[in-house]
């Protein structure tokens, strides 16, 4: 049996255009690729592959699915066999054995972390838009930054009340256990055993994967409080589902435009992504700071081989752009 974490790694690594190109000659057309359908006697290209959605569809015979479905159908394989085929292609090790109790526990833990983060994202959004303090402090801050209300909703921006325990109390009332809240990084434990909201008094930027899952958050202290504050930004700690070196802010919204336009703009921060998007520039993503990583480059390359670095013009930004350029060229 293949555990859930390994399946997730396989699906994250799989490039559907790369896979189907093994069996079908594809030509780029707009945001998609087209070719002759391998599942019926196709005379004109009716087979379409969408890299941004990770799916294929034949508009003549109706066959459709993702990369696993394609391998199952084309190669006459079972679901586990198709996963192993993809794992072998992308050099992902599979231990073909029954899951241990610990592995089952970890799979359940991953699901719990995803549920907790999705709940927290909705809680932060609701606080920003409907709580009096959220509206007066958080929403006012975003509006002063020039973000329109529709943009705020588009990026699911939020606010965490300053009390230090409002979010944690609400989460526990919803049934989330202490260990899940700690492992998600939504709160931390004090010496007396009490829980404190990690992002208390900060505006919230959720990190969302290509598939739309909330994996982490960035909390920014408000401008009026930045003087003397050691950490202007606080990020979720690495967890079972979140590793900041693997993620790109805005990828869930930018992936289709990156593929369509054949270019990605890489900026320094979340506010840069949001500001550009609001002005109609949708093919833009950001890392967590300027330290570009190989996993981030590979993620971009699934949609386009062309990257433009748009970092700050100060010395730090220029140095980061040069380092990033070298890394991009090496990959």
């Amino acid at each position: 049996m293949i555990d859930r974490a390994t399946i997730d790694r396989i699906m994250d690594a799989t490039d559907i255009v790369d896979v189907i190109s093994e069996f079908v000659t594809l030509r780029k057309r707009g945001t998609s690729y087209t070719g002759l359908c391998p599942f019926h006697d196709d005379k004109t290209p009716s087979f379409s592959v969408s890299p941004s959605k990770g799916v294929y569809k034949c508009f003549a015979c109706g066959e459709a699915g993702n990369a696993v479905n394609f391998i199952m159908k084309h190669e006459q394989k079972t679901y586990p066999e198709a996963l192993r085929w993809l794992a072998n292609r992308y050099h992902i090790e599979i231990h073909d054995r029954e899951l241990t109790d610990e592995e089952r526990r970890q799979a359940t833990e991953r699901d719990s972390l995803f549920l907790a983060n999705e709940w927290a994202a909705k809680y932060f959004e609701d606080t920003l838009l409907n709580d009096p303090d959220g509206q007066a402090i958080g929403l006012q801050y975003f509006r002063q930054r020039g973000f329109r209300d529709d943009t705020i909703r588009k990026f699911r921006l939020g606010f965490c009340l300053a009390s230090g325990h409002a979010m944690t109390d609400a989460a526990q009332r919803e049934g989330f256990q202490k260990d899940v809240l700690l492992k998600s990084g939504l709160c931390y434990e004090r010496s007396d055993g009490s829980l404190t909201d990690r992002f208390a008094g900060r505006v919230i930027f959720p990190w969302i994967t290509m598939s739309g899952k909330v994996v982490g958050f960035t909390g920014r202290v408000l401008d009026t409080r930045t003087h003397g504050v050691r950490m202007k930004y606080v990020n979720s700690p690495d967890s079972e589902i979140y590793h900041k070196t693997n993620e790109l802010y805005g990828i869930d919204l930018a992936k289709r435009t990156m593929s369509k336009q054949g270019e990605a703009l890489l900026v320094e921060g979340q506010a840069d992504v949001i500001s550009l998007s609001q002005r109609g520039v949708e093919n833009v993503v950001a890392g967590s700071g300027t330290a570009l990583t190989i996993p981030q480059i590979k993620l971009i390359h699934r949609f386009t081989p062309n990257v433009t670095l748009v970092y700050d013009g100060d010395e730090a930004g220029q140095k980061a752009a040069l380092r990033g350029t070298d890394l991009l060229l090496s990959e």
Side-chain angles (χ1 to χ4, degrees), residues 264-282:
L265 303 182
L266 185 62
V267 297
E268 286 192 18
Q270 294 97 321
D272 299 327
V273 172
I274 296 169
S275 295
L276 285 167
S277 175
Q278 184 167 271
R279 287 160 178 79
V281 183
E282 298 285 359

Side-chain angles (χ1 to χ4, degrees), residues 25-97:
T25 299
L26 297 175
R27 294 184 182 279
K28 190 167 177 41
R29 179 176 295 174
T31 61
S32 300
Y33 291 77
T34 60
L36 297 175
C37 179
F39 302 122
H40 78 283
D41 187 15
D42 200 10
K43 302 300 184 183
T44 58
S46 55
F47 187 79
S48 178
V49 182
S50 170
S52 62
K53 297 178 181 178
V55 297
Y56 68 88
K57 180 176 177 62
C58 177
F59 292 95
C61 71
E63 283 291 338
N66 60 16
V68 178
N69 302 133
F70 181 88
I71 295 300
M72 290 173 64
K73 177 76 173 179
H74 194 275
E75 298 298 285
Q76 297 296 300
K77 293 183 181 293
T78 64
Y79 178 69
E81 289 171 343
L83 285 173
R84 292 187 179 93
W85 189 96
L86 292 168
N88 182 65
R89 181 178 184 85
Y90 292 101
H91 309 292
I92 297 172
E93 186 176 1
I94 290 179
H95 299 288
D96 192 11
R97 53 179 171 73

